[in-house]
Amino acid sequence: MTSPLPSSSAASVLDLAPVVPVVVLSDAADAVPLARALVAGGLPAVEVTLRTPGAPDAIRAIAGEVPDAVVGAGTVITPEQVSACVAAGARFLVSPGWTDALLDAMRASGLPFLPGVSTTSEVVALLERGVREMKFFPAQAAGGTAYLRSLAGPLPQARFCPTGGIGPEIAPEYLSLPNVGCVGGSWMVPADAVAAGDWDRIERLARAAAGLRDAGGTCR
C-alpha cells in the first residue's frame, strides 16, 4: 500500500512543517487554489475540518489536483466520518477527542491520525493503546505551554500538535517545547482572504508561518 505521507519525509504528520493550517471551507471550489497557496508558502499539510457540508468535496479536490499537498481531515468524530474521509482521499485524520470506537476506526483506516486529548489521563490511556502522537486541544484553554511542559517529564514518549487559540505570537513558545512537533492554527487562512480569493496574501502568511521553525521551534 502506498504510504499516505511523502516518502522523502519522516512518516509523521508532526514532522511535515512547524504549522498545520486548520481550514474551514464553505465553498469547495476554493480548496484547490487555497491548498496551492499554502504549499507554495511552505506548508504542505492541510487539515480540512468537517465543519461544513462541502468538506469531503474539498478534500477530494485537493487530493486529486494538488499533488504536493498532504491533505487531512479534521474534526473527525465518528467511525462513519473516518470511512468517508478515506474515500475522499484524506492522508491523515485529526479528532478533537476520542472514544474507543473512533480510535479503532482511525487505526483501521491505515492513515496517520492524531486523536485529541486535554488531560493527563487521556494521554496515558492512549499511550497504553500504543498511540504516541496526539492533538492537544483546546490548547490555550486546556493549560497551554505550561501544561505541556509539565507533561514532558513524566510522559516524554508522547508528542503533540497543540491546536486551539494559537496565533503567530505564541506559536514559537509551543514549538520550543521538546514534546511538541508542530502546532495547528488558522491565522494564515483568514476568512476574508479566502472569501476574496486573495491567494497571494495567504501564501505570504503561510511563508511567515513556515518560518516559525527558525523562530524557536523544534518541529523534529
Side-chain angles (χ1 to χ4, degrees), residues 130-190:
V131 178
R132 296 191 174 191
E133 297 187 344
M134 311 166 195
K135 171 178 177 172
F136 180 60
F137 177 82
Q140 283 292 92
T145 56
Y147 193 95
L148 285 174
R149 188 178 294 110
S150 71
L151 292 182
L155 301 171
Q157 63 272 54
R159 295 180 72 212
F160 301 95
C161 174
T163 304
I166 298 176
E169 300 82 7
I170 60 173
E173 184 177 352
Y174 278 96
L175 290 167
S176 69
L177 299 176
N179 55 351
V180 170
C182 62
V183 301
S186 58
W187 74 85
M188 74 299 300
V189 286

